[in-house]
Amino acid sequence: MARKKIREYHSKRLLKEHLKRLASIDLDILSAQVTQSTDFAEFTDHHPWLSSTKVVVKPDMLFGKRGKSGLVALNLDIAEVAEFVKARLGVEVEMGGCKAPITTFIVEPFVPHDQEYYLSIVSERLGSTISFSECGGIDIEENWDKVKTIFLPTEKQLTPKACAPLIATLPLEIRETIGDFILGVFAVFQDLDFSFLEMNPFTIVNEKPYPLDMRGELDDTAAFKNFNKWGNIEFPLPFGRVLSPTESFIHSLDDKTSASLKFTVLNPKGRIWTMVAGGGASVIYADTVGDLGYASELGNYAEYSGAPNEEEVLQYARVVIDCATADPDGRKRALLIGGGIANFTDVAATFSGIIRALKEKESKLKAARVHIYVRRGGPNYQTGLAKMRSLGEELGVPIQVYGPEATMTGICKQAIDCIMSEA
């Protein structure tokens, strides 16, 4: 599961659309998104309710505690919204130790209310944890002892009986309404492959639940089956995270291919770099370097999978090698070209792209004193490994090559020993 945060605007959009479909609950949610491209002269044309409704405006940037940080404005008209946004759009703020400019706001009707409730659902390994409280809002953490929680195993259905402990102390006149709402929200959670959903708070308006603040995370590995349900969904980077030019390039490659190409720079001055086939294997290699005590030397996280073609692998490998060989300082560096045993991917074919990149970057590899360690198995792996061995002799670059007879992460220890040796 890959948990990806989505904006509050999209969390509420998905809930509104699918709660009606799955539970026949029609939420009176209205919301609009403001970005740097928003033209306020046309804004009310697209959202007519803004002309006659007092509203709330707040950043929609994947961070919490907006109210406590003075970033939420209440009971404004549209002119005041424009003024509020103009004063803050593009302005850098610090939240949780991260600094970044505010680029996106959400605008919603101002909803006067007295009672605030809390609801969260979290997907875990063996089921889902559902939490509810009658004391929601900005002080939920101080009132956490009042939160009621149930755990629902994966094989079980959420029934009114299972939900009963959460709402047992509610007044009778709203108990059924909130119980049905929790059941419906859980149905949306499961149907759309949410991995996390939180409303803090929601309230009751005209005898119907109304989410005021909401956070959501989706399992993006389920995108293939939820394409139509999710609609035009966006997975923003975490607040404060800005892609480097090289990361942006790989991100654009990834968007254009049916394969998976991932690349994150962890330490530009690191001396251990990875180019690993397979999502699971890529995590294992990175974890192994960390477990051996050298996380500070790990330059990147990298993963290619889904059988990218030779040209895609070539472009990908160029970027990894350029980063791994940047600013040579005379000390040894290591490049791990690893992976597990492939089921379907032609190892020789993907190695062809990597080999072309290594040939192009021969002088850079030598200048940075890069030692290369290869471990791979799978279809046509013997041919691929033989080409790698020949390449080392051809270029005069140290390349150690192993097949499935070697442990998958054994080359991590060799790489560490290499960069720590004085010779």
Side-chain angles (χ1 to χ4, degrees):
M1 177 187 295
R3 294 172 54 152
K4 291 290 188 71
K5 293 183 178 182
I6 59 175
R7 298 196 191 275
E8 182 177 5
Y9 173 81
H10 289 294
S11 293
K12 290 180 174 176
R13 174 181 65 80
L14 292 177
L15 182 67
K16 178 180 174 69
E17 290 176 6
H18 298 284
L19 193 61
K20 184 175 183 178
R21 173 176 64 89
L22 295 168
S24 299
I25 298 175
D26 194 0
L27 295 182
D28 297 325
I29 295 177
L30 295 171
S31 60
Q33 194 174 63
V34 178
T35 66
Q36 291 170 318
S37 63
T38 298
D39 183 350
F40 275 95
E42 301 176 356
F43 199 41
T44 53
D45 293 337
H46 296 294
H47 308 283
W49 54 270
L50 288 168
S51 301
S52 57
T53 307
K54 290 288 189 175
V55 300
V56 176
V57 59
K58 54 193 174 182
D60 196 359
M61 295 290 298
L62 309 186
F63 60 73
K65 303 185 187 299
R66 295 170 293 185
K68 288 186 174 182
S69 302
L71 293 172
V72 178
L74 308 174
N75 206 17
L76 305 184
D77 60 31
I78 188 60
E80 292 169 322
V81 169
E83 184 178 340
F84 181 88
V85 169
K86 183 178 179 181
R88 292 161 180 80
L89 194 62
V91 175
E92 186 177 85
V93 298
E94 181 173 352
M95 299 297 295
C98 298
K99 293 182 179 180
I102 299 175
T103 61
T104 307
F105 291 84
I106 183 172
V107 182
E108 306 171 295
F110 175 64
V111 180
H113 58 280
D114 297 318
Q115 185 68 45
E116 295 185 333
Y117 305 95
Y118 173 85
L119 175 64
S120 72
I121 308 174
V122 183
S123 179
E124 300 182 19
R125 184 178 181 85
L126 299 177
S128 298
T129 297
I130 307 172
S131 301
F132 172 77
S133 175
E134 301 167 48
C135 301
I138 62 174
D139 295 323
I140 184 65
E141 293 174 357
E142 289 79 358
N143 292 299
W144 198 253
D145 59 317
K146 299 176 182 176
V147 175
K148 303 178 184 70
T149 297
I150 62 171
F151 179 77
L152 189 73
T154 300
E155 68 276 10
K156 300 290 186 181
Q157 296 292 319
L158 183 62
T159 62
K161 182 178 180 180
C163 186
L166 297 174
I167 58 174
T169 58
L170 286 173
L172 285 175
E173 60 267 23
I174 61 170
R175 190 180 300 173
E176 184 177 355
T177 297
I178 291 183
D180 289 344
F181 182 59
I182 293 173
L183 292 171
V185 171
F186 186 73
V188 173
F189 182 89
Q190 288 191 308
D191 188 70
L192 269 67
D193 290 287
F194 274 89
S195 53
F196 172 81
L197 189 151
E198 181 185 67
M199 296 177 209
N200 185 37
F202 75 90
T203 191
I204 301 293
V205 177
N206 298 326
E207 301 182 349
K208 291 196 291 188
Y210 193 103
L212 297 172
D213 276 326
M214 188 170 170
R215 294 195 295 151
E217 298 177 11
L218 294 171
D219 176 5
D220 76 337
T221 62
F224 73 96
K225 69 186 183 78
N226 289 312
F227 181 80
N228 291 326
K229 294 178 185 177
W230 289 355
N232 187 24
I233 200 70
E234 174 194 8
F235 294 109
L237 292 171
F239 180 72
R241 175 86 168 90
V242 179
L243 292 179
S244 68
T246 51
E247 290 169 328
S248 294
F249 177 75
I250 297 298
H251 188 73
S252 67
L253 280 182
D254 186 52
D255 283 343
K256 298 171 186 174
T257 176
S258 59
S260 176
L261 301 170
K262 302 292 186 287
F263 180 74
T264 301
V265 176
L266 302 175
N267 176 13
K269 298 185 182 298
R271 292 192 289 152
I272 300 174
W273 293 77
T274 66
M275 187 163 24
V276 180
S282 62
V283 174
I284 292 171
Y285 274 85
D287 282 351
T288 300
V289 173
D291 289 344
L292 292 172
Y294 289 86
S296 62
E297 289 289 359
L298 188 61
N300 71 311
Y301 167 81
E303 173 245 320
Y304 66 93
S305 59
N309 63 44
E310 182 176 330
E311 187 63 27
E312 290 168 342
V313 174
L314 170 63
Q315 295 187 61
Y316 181 79
R318 284 169 174 163
V319 169
V320 177
I321 297 168
D322 280 341
C323 290
T325 58
D327 303 319
D329 58 6
R331 298 184 299 166
K332 292 178 181 177
R333 303 182 188 186
L335 174 61
L336 303 175
I337 303 176
I341 300 175
N343 291 320
F344 308 107
T345 301
D346 187 321
V347 173
T350 54
F351 272 7
S352 294
I354 295 173
I355 288 169
R356 287 173 61 189
L358 291 170
K359 287 181 177 180
E360 288 180 8
K361 307 294 181 180
E362 175 185 350
S363 60
K364 286 189 172 185
L365 292 167
K366 291 178 177 177
R369 299 187 67 194
V370 174
H371 290 239
I372 300 172
Y373 297 86
V374 180
R375 191 278 185 187
R376 194 72 165 108
N380 213 13
Y381 81 91
Q382 296 97 332
T383 302
L385 297 183
K387 289 181 178 180
M388 281 289 186
R389 291 190 183 96
S390 298
L391 180 69
E393 297 173 2
E394 176 185 340
L395 300 183
V397 173
I399 301 181
Q400 299 293 322
V401 181
Y402 303 92
E405 76 284 350
T407 60
M408 187 167 75
T409 57
I411 59 175
C412 295
K413 180 66 165 60
Q414 293 187 48
I416 290 168
D417 291 343
C418 171
I419 68 166
M420 298 309 295
S421 67
E422 294 297 325

